Amino acid sequence: MSDDVPRRLKLWLPKRVIVTRSAQAQEHGRAIAARAAALGVPVDILSSDRLGLALPDDPRQAYAEAKRTLAVTVAPPSRLRLQPIAPSADWRVDLAEGCPAHCSYCYLAGSLKGPPITRVYANLAEIVGILPGYLGTGTVTSRSKARANEGTTFEASCYTDPLALEHLTGSLSALIEAFGRWQAPVQLRFTTKFAAVEPLLALEHGGRTRMRASINPAAYAPFEGGTDPVAARLAALARMARAGYPIGLTIAPIIAADGWQRAYAGLIAQAGTALADVPDVDCTIELITHRYTPGSKAVLDSWYPGSKLDMSDANRAEKRTKFGSVKHVYDASTMKELRCFFEAELASTLPFARVLYWT
Ligand code: SF4
């Protein structure tokens, strides 16, 4: 084992796994249940498709209990009608919904309703089976002059962190292999705050999966509870690149806290060091500034009342989405300062990487 490979990664284990009747009827659902049982996790097979969670009344306890619960379910029909996901990809493909980590800015707080359990989908064969119908139909990256060469793109990290769950599901490996066999201009994309890439390294990926490490300075680790250390994520990314995968950095969310210039300069230098010896690296960069909605802020305040993450009005501006809802983003002068900084720092420290977008 080389020095840049973390010796030991802590893999998430739920306190319990519940399997719906429909999920148990699927081969992949039974395989997930068997993996969980082999790892010593109690597995309940339900006699119906109702999860019936029975969480405690106390909201803190209910949150903790939900976060420790993994449900194996069948993706509903709405998940099988893919949606565009700008600016990352033409289409969003979901293998799961929810995440076991505890990030105090988590974008899922505004997107997913109900208790934050993690649901993984048993009907993987059906999910993989719908993808060919989307070939050549993209309207996001496929319509971009700079990115059309990526083919039809599919993003698997919209509602979950798929690598966080891979030791329990095997779903990401199966999807990577499906893209590996798919002789067409397509790209699977996933981004992660985890590092356990071992099961992915030897897969026949065909260069059609791009893994990105989602990174922030180590000083921001208190905002990213339950994730793997950023050094481990970068080491994992370098291993994936050496295994022939195209890779990327998702610097997200960019947080303009006191001392951000020094913190992000250090992070970019750290990424440069981690990738320095990787031959012919194909590396992209995505830059996403911190934002929140009134709804996500209310949920996050209730989940993480002690968080030091600034979600006050300081340095913020309101932005209306095309659906009319409000987002709080950094104001124009903060945005400009951040953007100039990242453009200059990335050009000088990671000149081999190309920036896909800033938002
Ligand atoms: Fe949310 Fe990503 Fe953190 Fe999981 S790792 S809690 S999906 S921000």
Side-chain angles (χ1 to χ4, degrees):
M1 187 180 280
S2 72
D3 282 348
D4 59 353
V5 177
R7 307 269 146 196
R8 192 166 165 271
L9 290 168
K10 214 166 65 195
L11 298 175
W12 177 67
L13 285 185
K15 188 175 151 201
R16 61 174 176 154
V17 170
I18 45 186
V19 187
T20 65
R21 187 176 59 178
S22 297
Q24 177 67 13
Q26 300 268 344
E27 188 185 342
H28 190 57
R30 293 192 296 277
I32 296 170
R35 278 180 181 234
L39 289 165
V41 181
V43 177
D44 285 343
I45 314 285
L46 304 179
S47 56
S48 78
D49 286 346
R50 241 182 73 78
L51 288 178
L53 292 171
L55 296 170
D57 291 337
D58 175 72
R60 301 293 315 141
Q61 285 178 12
Y63 167 84
E65 195 69 22
K67 274 283 186 179
R68 297 172 70 193
T69 302
L70 181 77
V72 188
T73 65
V74 167
S78 61
R79 289 279 181 270
L80 301 175
R81 287 189 297 275
L82 304 190
Q83 301 299 318
I85 181 71
S88 174
D90 289 324
W91 302 108
R92 191 182 102 200
V93 56
D94 298 319
L95 298 173
E97 174 180 309
C99 169
H102 307 271
C103 299
S104 45
Y105 49 70
C106 181
Y107 58 97
L108 296 181
S111 324
L112 300 179
K113 305 286 170 247
I117 64 165
T118 299
R119 289 177 168 79
V120 295
Y121 296 141
N123 49 337
L124 181 64
E126 197 177 6
I127 294 168
V128 171
I130 61 167
L131 300 180
Y134 291 84
L135 179 63
T137 64
T139 58
V140 180
T141 59
S142 290
R143 294 251 177 103
S144 148
K145 240 192 210 160
R147 295 186 59 191
N149 64 337
E150 293 176 42
T152 311
T153 50
F154 296 84
E155 172 65 65
S157 308
C158 294
Y159 274 9
T160 189
D161 187 315
L163 193 58
L165 308 169
E166 183 58 8
H167 56 291
L168 292 159
T169 67
S171 302
L172 181 60
S173 295
L175 194 58
I176 289 171
E177 288 182 320
F179 274 77
R181 289 188 297 271
W182 194 356
Q183 301 290 334
V186 289
Q187 182 191 140
L188 172 65
R189 300 165 53 70
F190 75 95
T191 188
T192 181
K193 292 185 195 295
F194 289 80
V197 292
E198 193 69 43
L200 314 185
L201 294 172
L203 299 178
E204 297 286 339
H205 55 78
R208 284 188 282 277
T209 294
R210 184 178 298 274
M211 167 179 163
R212 298 100 82 212
S214 175
I215 55 170
N216 246 322
Y220 293 1
F223 301 145
E224 301 187 335
T227 62
D228 284 333
V230 69
R233 293 177 221 168
L234 287 169
L237 192 70
R239 295 181 78 196
M240 289 289 276
R242 287 195 187 93
Y245 284 86
I247 58 156
L249 299 168
T250 313
I251 306 185
I254 294 169
I255 297 171
D258 278 351
W260 63 263
Q261 293 91 337
R262 182 195 284 245
Y264 281 106
L267 177 72
I268 292 167
Q270 190 181 4
T273 305
L275 300 177
D277 300 332
V278 182
D280 302 324
V281 64
D282 172 353
C283 182
T284 58
I285 297 177
E286 291 151 78
L287 300 161
I288 304 171
T289 52
H290 181 228
R291 70 257 338 268
Y292 55 87
T293 63
S296 69
K297 177 177 173 352
V299 173
L300 290 167
D301 283 346
S302 73
W303 285 353
Y304 310 113
S307 172
K308 301 267 185 302
L309 181 65
D310 181 22
M311 287 197 276
S312 70
D313 290 341
N315 299 342
R316 295 285 176 173
E318 274 188 11
K319 194 172 164 186
R320 293 228 165 244
T321 68
K322 64 179 173 186
F323 306 108
S325 56
V326 169
K327 255 195 248 179
H328 295 272
V329 298
Y330 286 118
D331 61 24
S333 67
T334 309
M335 277 290 209
K336 190 170 170 204
E337 199 186 344
L338 286 166
R339 191 170 185 166
C340 289
F341 167 86
F342 276 95
E343 281 174 359
E345 204 68 31
L346 290 168
S348 73
T349 309
L350 299 173
F352 53 84
R354 61 188 186 284
V355 175
L356 296 185
Y357 57 85
W358 164 273
T359 185

